[in-house]
């Protein structure tokens, strides 16, 4: 094993991970432009996520504007329209990842930004709720800029820096999820709902231009004539770490989203003043996101030093412990503090999951495998709210936190058991 210290240019010293069996599977591509690519991907992911999430506060109003009048129908159509994007995105993520492996990661980012700019602008021209749902499906089908950025950054960043780089990118993505609804709450009263969509489409188009001009992708080494190169799962020597990371990504999103449907109802039991329920609920939801934004890059950098598996196991275990007191809080502020601490713990999970996959698969199939990881996370976003709502409705609010705690503890134990001995 090579134990030579590697200097990252910041004055700190990092130790490389133990050699992975995939290193012999083919040459890995590290871009000399990786810092420049990271900046463009960070800004592009932030702006596209903001544009895609700013509709949350006014989506029911837009559904009503499109002709749906009954309250129950407005709620139903709003849920369908919002979830449509995640549904198609989960289906096509592995396909876009595979095409990125074949034709280049930059090309996929160009496709995603242009497709999202067109879809977002067309949503502002919808005249019927069916058109809104169809265009949200198209947005998920053509989009995926943030997941494409993850693939590009993961595969072109030096392996000793992947945790930090992916943590930084993850912070930008989570910041977009946090800022988007805030902007969406303020813009429509000023410029109108349709104009808000058009403005979002224009911002994403600027991302398309920046991606086209400033992202640099190294040329791939030519294939040696007469050699047979395996693709997909067959190219991975040891599939156990990859399966563990797919399960962990699913578990992470399930744990996050299982709480979402019940937060407002749960807060109503803790806050005596009914007028403050929505405010406290909003702060509770934002607290976890804020904690993750603050910790993602730091935990990613820590993982580069002490090992990504160690951070993943610790984050799952700490989150499981923090879920127990959340089931027994008596004041709103207690829940806010605990959700913030849980966000701090979970912030490094996605970067570390991506890093482990990056370290255990050949570069030529990394996009496809990371596409499967994205799909598993989207699946968690779909299953989580359904499971949380069902458990909360049948067994009570506390049962949701305790059931999620058991899942997280199981995930920590499973990850510890399947962890490769040399990582």
């Amino acid at each position: 094993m090579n134990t030579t210290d590697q200097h990252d240019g910041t004055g700190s010293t990092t130790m490389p991970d133990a050699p992975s069996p995939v290193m012999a599977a083919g040459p890995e591509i590290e871009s000399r432009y990786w810092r420049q690519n990271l900046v463009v991907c960070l800004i592009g992911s932030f702006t596209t996520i903001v544009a895609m999430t700013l509709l949350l506060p006014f989506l029911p109003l837009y559904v009503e504007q499109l002709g749906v009048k009954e309250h129950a129908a407005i709620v139903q159509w709003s849920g369908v329209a919002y979830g449509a994007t995640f549904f198609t995105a989960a289906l096509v993520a592995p396909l876009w990842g595979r095409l990125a492996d074949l034709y280049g990661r930059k090309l996929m980012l160009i496709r995603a930004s242009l497709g999202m700019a067109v879809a977002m602008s067309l949503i502002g021209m919808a005249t019927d709720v069916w058109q809104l749902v169809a265009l949200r499906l198209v947005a998920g089908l053509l989009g995926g800029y943030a997941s494409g950025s993850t693939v590009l950054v993961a595969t072109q960043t030096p392996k000793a820096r992947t945790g930090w780089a992916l943590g930084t990118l993850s912070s930008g993505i989570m910041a977009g999820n946090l800022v988007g609804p805030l902007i969406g709450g303020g813009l429509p009263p000023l410029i109108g709902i349709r104009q808000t969509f058009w403005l979002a489409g224009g911002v994403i188009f600027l991302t398309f231009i920046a991606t086209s001009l400033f992202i640099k992708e190294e040329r791939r080494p030519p294939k040696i004539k007469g050699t047979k190169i395996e693709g997909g799962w067959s190219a991975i020597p040891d599939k156990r770490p990859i399966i563990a990371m797919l399960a962990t990504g699913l578990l992470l999103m399930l744990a996050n989203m299982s709480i979402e449907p019940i937060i407002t109802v749960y807060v109503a039991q803790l806050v005596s003043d009914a007028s403050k329920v929505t405010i406290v609920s909003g702060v509770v939801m934002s607290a976890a996101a804020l904690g993750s934004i603050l910790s993602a890059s730091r935990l990613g950098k820590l993982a580069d030093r002490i090992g990504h598996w160690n951070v993943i196991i610790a984050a799952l275990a700490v989150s499981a412990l923090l879920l127990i007191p959340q089931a027994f809080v008596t004041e709103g502020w207690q829940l806010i503090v605990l959700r913030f601490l849980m966000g701090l713990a979970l912030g490094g999970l996605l970067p570390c999951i991506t890093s482990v996959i990056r370290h255990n698969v050949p570069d030529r199939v990394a996009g496809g495998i990371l596409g499967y990881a994205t799909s598993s996370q989207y699946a968690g976003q779909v299953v989580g709210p359904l499971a949380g709502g069902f458990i909360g409705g049948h067994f009570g609010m506390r049962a949701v936190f305790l059931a999620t705690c058991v899942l997280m503890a199981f995930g920590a134990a499973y990850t510890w058991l399947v962890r490769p001995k040399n990582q």
Side-chain angles (χ1 to χ4, degrees):
M1 186 192 314
N2 179 16
T3 57
T4 303
D5 290 349
Q6 295 183 353
H7 293 276
D8 58 16
T10 61
S12 61
T13 302
T14 58
M15 296 293 292
D17 285 343
S20 169
V22 302
M23 294 300 290
E28 302 293 330
I29 302 172
E30 292 176 357
S31 174
R32 54 184 168 165
Y33 302 106
W34 69 271
R35 290 182 178 85
Q36 176 178 321
N37 291 344
L38 175 60
V39 172
V40 177
C41 287
L42 174 64
I43 297 173
S45 296
F46 174 78
T47 55
T48 52
I49 293 294
V50 166
M52 294 299 289
T53 58
L54 57 76
L55 85 166
L56 281 173
F58 61 82
L59 181 58
L61 299 177
Y62 194 43
V63 168
E64 185 177 11
Q65 196 177 99
L66 293 177
V68 180
K69 299 303 179 185
E70 294 184 6
H71 176 74
I74 291 173
V75 174
Q76 181 179 352
W77 279 111
S78 297
V80 171
Y82 182 66
T85 298
F86 296 109
F87 175 72
T88 51
L91 293 179
V92 300
L95 171 64
W96 293 138
R98 179 59 178 158
L99 291 177
D101 290 333
L102 294 174
Y103 302 109
R105 282 77 192 244
K106 176 180 177 178
L107 182 62
M108 290 300 104
L109 292 180
I110 292 174
R111 171 204 56 76
S113 53
L114 182 59
M116 291 168 69
V118 173
M120 187 62 63
S121 300
L122 290 176
I123 288 175
M125 302 177 187
T127 58
D128 186 87
V129 71
W130 281 102
Q131 296 175 6
L132 172 63
V133 173
L135 289 168
R136 288 285 293 174
L137 286 169
V138 170
L141 186 67
L142 298 179
Y145 189 95
S147 57
S149 293
T150 301
V151 173
L152 183 87
V153 171
T155 54
Q156 295 208 335
T157 301
K159 284 193 172 183
R161 302 298 305 279
T162 51
W164 171 81
L166 289 167
T168 301
L169 180 64
S170 181
S171 293
I173 293 172
M174 287 182 285
N177 279 298
L178 189 63
V179 172
L182 297 177
I183 295 177
L187 270 182
L190 298 176
I191 64 175
I193 291 178
R194 294 185 183 275
Q195 289 78 3
T196 299
F197 283 115
W198 297 337
L199 178 61
V203 171
I204 299 178
F205 187 75
L206 293 178
T207 298
F208 159 73
I209 295 175
T211 300
S212 302
L213 294 178
F214 299 118
I215 283 188
K216 308 294 182 183
E217 188 172 16
E218 299 283 0
R219 290 187 178 182
R220 297 162 179 270
K223 177 183 175 182
I224 301 174
K225 190 174 182 180
T227 60
K228 182 180 179 182
I229 298 179
E230 295 180 316
W233 285 96
S234 60
I236 305 172
D238 186 359
K239 299 175 178 60
R240 290 174 299 174
I242 309 305
I243 294 173
M245 292 303 100
L246 296 183
T248 302
L250 171 67
L251 182 63
L252 167 64
M253 291 303 175
L254 192 150
N256 273 334
M257 301 304 294
S258 65
I259 310 298
E260 296 295 318
I262 68 159
I263 280 183
T264 303
V265 179
Y266 193 50
V267 167
Q269 300 175 1
L270 304 174
V271 179
S272 57
D273 188 349
S275 64
K276 295 181 180 179
V277 169
T278 55
I279 297 175
V280 175
S281 298
V283 175
V284 169
M285 294 179 186
S286 301
L290 179 60
S292 294
I293 291 169
L294 295 176
S295 69
S297 62
R298 291 173 174 83
L299 287 178
K301 189 173 183 179
L302 176 65
D304 288 334
R305 289 195 292 108
I306 69 172
H308 302 98
W309 288 87
N310 293 329
V311 172
I312 290 172
I313 294 168
L316 291 172
V318 171
S319 299
L321 291 174
L322 287 171
L323 281 162
I324 296 174
Q326 290 179 50
F328 301 100
V329 294
T330 57
E331 300 287 343
W333 67 266
Q334 297 170 351
L335 186 60
I336 292 171
V337 171
L338 289 169
R339 294 299 291 176
F340 175 76
L341 294 175
M342 187 168 173
L344 288 176
L346 294 177
L349 272 185
L350 285 181
C352 288
I353 289 169
T354 306
S355 295
V356 169
I357 294 174
R358 157 75 166 124
H359 288 203
N360 285 273
V361 301
D363 181 79
R364 65 178 182 273
V365 299
I369 303 303
L370 288 171
Y372 285 114
T374 300
S375 290
S376 71
Q377 292 157 24
Y378 280 133
Q381 287 183 301
V382 174
V383 175
L386 295 176
F390 177 82
I391 295 174
H394 288 78
F395 303 101
M397 304 297 114
R398 290 179 176 176
V400 179
F401 292 98
L402 297 177
T404 306
C405 166
V406 172
L407 282 176
M408 298 295 271
F410 174 80
Y414 173 72
T415 305
W416 182 78
L417 288 174
V418 302
R419 176 183 59 174
K421 301 303 180 183
N422 62 343
Q423 295 190 37

